Amino acid sequence: MSKTPLHFTLNGRAFDLEVEPRRTLIDVIRDDCGFTGTHAGCEHGVCGACTIIVNGETVRSCLMFGFQAEGATIRTVESLSQGGPLHPLQEAFVEHHALQCGFCTPGFLMLAVGLLEENPDMDEAAMRDALSSNLCRCTGYENILKAVKDGAQRMKASHD
Amino acid sequence: MKPAPFTLHRPATLAQATALLHDLADEDARLIAGGQSLAPMMAFRLARPGHLIDLNGVGELAHLCESGGMIEIGALIRHVDIARRAIPGVTGALLRAVLPHIAHHPIRTRGTFCGSLAHADPASEWCLTAATLDATLVAHSASGRREIAARDYFEGAMATALRADEVLSSVRLPQLPEGARFAFHEFSRRSGDFAIAAALVIFELRDGLIAQARIGIGGAEDRPRRISEAEAVLNGRKPSPELFVEAGAAVAAALCPMEDISTSAAYRRELAATLTERALEEAAR
Ligand SMILES: Cc1cc2nc3c(=O)[nH]c(=O)nc-3n(C[C@H](O)[C@H](O)[C@H](O)COP(=O)(O)OP(=O)(O)OC[C@H]3O[C@@H](n4cnc5c(N)ncnc54)[C@H](O)[C@@H]3O)c2cc1C
Ligand code: FES
Ligand code: FES
């Protein structure tokens, strides 16, 4: 199958690839770039496990083709701590038991980071609505909501 | 599953896009805009286009403007742009009220207004909006440009008057008069799901009486449409809870709803009536 050139920046690193057009962005990120933190759940847009940030916008990486990320700046869950101290939202997830098996966690983290960077003052109703985007089969959501509420405060504090 | 292989085309102009559609007419070419409906269909292999024509590089389709009492929404305007681009007037406010009901934020960042109309899901909120406002759809092909009235555009579930060689380049919505009232209500089992039924109501009050009523119902039948029988009930009368029940009953009587595994026609009919009543109550407030 013929391939198409693809260049983007992923978690601060420049990638220069050749990919089959039919490959989704999540597959390119996991298989070609080796960043396996982003999880593929349903691969048709309903679960949100694959949520990442492309050019500052939260997107479902299973609903983008790799070729559509030409020139983009991409952030996945690996960008949050980069081996150093945890991101304030990750700390909040740990403290509030917002994960059990952890399969959905990278998607929830990137969803919440993207939304809080855009609107640090989200109220609880807006958070509930936003979090309904992603599925978790373990936690029952209440702890995720608590973690995001607390994480929002921690993110603000870390900016002051 | 993974999408099947295809040949990729990346036009930079509308003329290149329509030329590609013309040249590839016999080779199953598909346009992709936001990809939020097409990518899932390709993952399921419900769609296996031989050629994919990506509209995202066609900068001239990213326009959103108001002129001559019409708001024109180009093919690359994403759902999120509807809130971000400060569309003026009552029509702008109406679009912002409908927007949060569509999918979820990470889908709205990519999906497009025109893509929703091209896809034509019976429960699409933008399809209902276009039908209720009597939108004009602008289509381009290698042989020229034509306008299609919303009432002639929707032909059934995921079936439209758009030809395979046409790009839906923009949709034009009339600006509603200052003071026009509106409300949108839908019901779905989970947040972000497609609605089982939805009602969009718009009217003006002149000397305390309802005028220019528009009642649009989506999700119930195979395509969204205005229900003229219910509009006739409202026009010239004073808003009251009893009148709204009467209008809801007229909606129920006029509908011929779809049935599926989980939802009977009778349930959809009752739901449409209730949503109409609720929307009218809210608009009258
Ligand atoms: C989990 C999930 C939930 C969703 N919930 C809702 C919802 O509640 N309400 C709702 O309305 N939608 C919903 N959607 C669909 C979403 O709104 C899509 O964005 C929209 O239906 C299609 O727009 P698109 O730009 O993504 O089109 P694409 O997926 O790119 O294309 C869809 C179809 O339209 C054609 N097409 C696209 N643009 C054009 C054009 N300009 N001219 C001609 N043909 C064109 C394509 O060839 C394709 O056949 C949901 C999607 C997902 C994944
Ligand atoms: S894997 Fe992308 S939404 Fe489920
Ligand atoms: S922690 Fe297991 S799916 Fe969310």
Side-chain angles (χ1 to χ4, degrees):
Chain A
M1 222 36 237
S2 74
K3 293 189 172 184
T4 189
L6 175 61
H7 317 270
F8 55 57
T9 306
L10 172 59
N11 300 333
R13 252 175 73 190
F15 282 87
D16 192 353
L17 310 165
E18 294 247 308
V19 300
E20 249 188 279
R22 74 187 186 106
R23 307 218 22 245
T24 55
L25 182 55
I26 185 168
D27 284 349
V28 171
I29 289 172
R30 289 177 56 91
D31 302 344
D32 298 35
C33 306
F35 282 85
T36 53
T38 305
H39 294 167
C42 66
E43 292 187 281
H44 63 267
V46 300
C47 76
C50 66
T51 307
I52 60 171
I53 300 177
V54 175
N55 294 332
E57 301 275 21
T58 54
V59 301
R60 306 274 212 240
S61 58
C62 71
L63 296 189
M64 262 182 90
F65 287 102
F67 74 80
Q68 295 183 304
E70 175 60 36
T73 300
I74 304 172
R75 285 152 65 200
T76 64
V77 68
E78 288 93 339
S79 70
L80 295 183
S81 87
Q82 307 250 13
L86 292 181
H87 184 280
L89 200 64
Q90 288 174 311
E91 283 175 6
F93 265 61
V94 172
E95 277 182 36
H96 293 274
H97 304 284
L99 60 149
Q100 288 179 31
C101 78
F103 188 85
C104 67
T105 313
F108 271 103
L109 285 170
M110 297 316 283
L111 174 72
V113 165
L115 290 166
L116 287 170
E117 285 178 354
E118 189 177 328
N119 176 15
D121 298 311
M122 275 178 106
D123 61 20
E124 181 176 330
M127 279 180 193
R128 279 182 184 270
D129 180 54
L131 294 173
S132 75
S133 161
N134 287 22
L135 298 180
C136 173
R137 301 284 82 166
C138 304
T139 64
Y141 303 101
E142 278 304 322
N143 287 350
I144 296 178
L145 180 67
K146 279 183 204 155
V148 172
K149 269 199 256 180
D150 183 24
Q153 299 309 317
R154 292 174 191 235
M155 279 172 70
K156 274 196 208 167
S158 73
H159 281 139
D160 296 341
Chain B
M1 279 222 300
K2 309 287 181 189
F6 54 81
T7 305
L8 173 64
H9 304 270
R10 290 197 258 198
T13 64
L14 181 54
Q16 286 173 7
T18 54
L20 280 163
L21 281 176
H22 175 82
D23 295 345
L24 298 169
D26 300 325
E27 297 184 51
D28 190 18
R30 263 317 240 287
L31 296 168
I32 184 165
Q36 303 301 290
S37 292
L38 187 55
M41 291 197 306
M42 288 174 68
F44 282 127
R45 300 207 175 185
L46 292 170
R48 294 184 66 151
H51 296 260
L52 203 61
I53 304 172
D54 186 7
L55 282 178
N56 287 280
V58 183
E60 68 200 277
L61 294 177
H63 62 289
L64 201 171
C65 52
E66 188 185 20
S67 70
M70 298 290 257
I71 290 164
E72 178 152 346
I73 301 175
L76 284 182
I77 294 299
R78 319 246 172 218
H79 303 317
V80 284
D81 295 327
I82 297 296
R84 292 180 184 162
R85 297 280 288 267
I87 304 172
V90 178
T91 299
L94 183 153
L95 292 170
R96 286 189 290 279
V98 171
L99 172 70
H101 297 276
I102 300 169
H104 302 283
H105 184 79
I107 291 161
R108 299 196 288 261
T109 56
R110 292 205 56 84
T112 63
F113 190 97
C114 289
S116 296
L117 295 188
H119 188 61
D121 189 290
S124 154
E125 289 84 354
W126 291 146
C127 292
L128 172 59
T129 306
T132 311
L133 285 173
D134 290 314
T136 303
L137 293 91
V138 183
H140 277 84
S141 69
S143 50
R145 173 190 188 276
R146 67 175 179 132
E147 296 189 353
I148 311 168
R151 101 180 62 82
D152 305 322
Y153 175 80
F154 298 106
E155 295 186 340
M158 293 170 184
T160 71
L162 213 58
R163 295 194 313 258
D165 69 338
E166 284 179 317
V167 175
L168 178 61
S169 48
S170 68
V171 177
R172 306 174 72 199
L173 303 171
Q175 181 59 276
L176 290 165
E178 235 14 80
R181 295 151 171 271
F182 65 82
F184 174 80
H185 277 248
E186 71 169 37
F187 183 79
S188 56
R189 287 203 175 79
R190 284 167 306 226
S191 140
D193 277 12
F194 278 102
I196 297 171
L200 177 60
V201 309
I202 305 166
F203 60 81
E204 293 168 43
L205 279 181
R206 294 188 189 153
D207 302 324
L209 303 180
I210 293 177
Q212 304 288 331
R214 291 169 183 266
I215 307 284
I217 300 295
E221 297 178 324
D222 67 352
R223 71 200 82 170
R225 66 178 174 108
R226 285 177 67 176
I227 310 293
S228 54
E229 295 87 340
E231 296 170 353
V233 165
L234 293 165
N235 282 326
R237 314 244 324 250
K238 201 166 155 299
S240 72
E242 296 73 31
L243 180 66
F244 297 158
V245 171
E246 206 183 312
V251 164
L255 285 178
C256 193
M258 298 182 287
E259 289 201 79
D260 56 50
I261 280 181
S262 52
T263 314
S264 68
Y267 179 67
R268 275 208 166 84
R269 193 175 288 119
E270 269 186 46
L271 197 54
T274 304
L275 293 166
T276 304
E277 280 170 40
R278 287 183 189 165
L280 286 167
E281 294 273 1
E282 185 190 321
R285 242 176 257 144

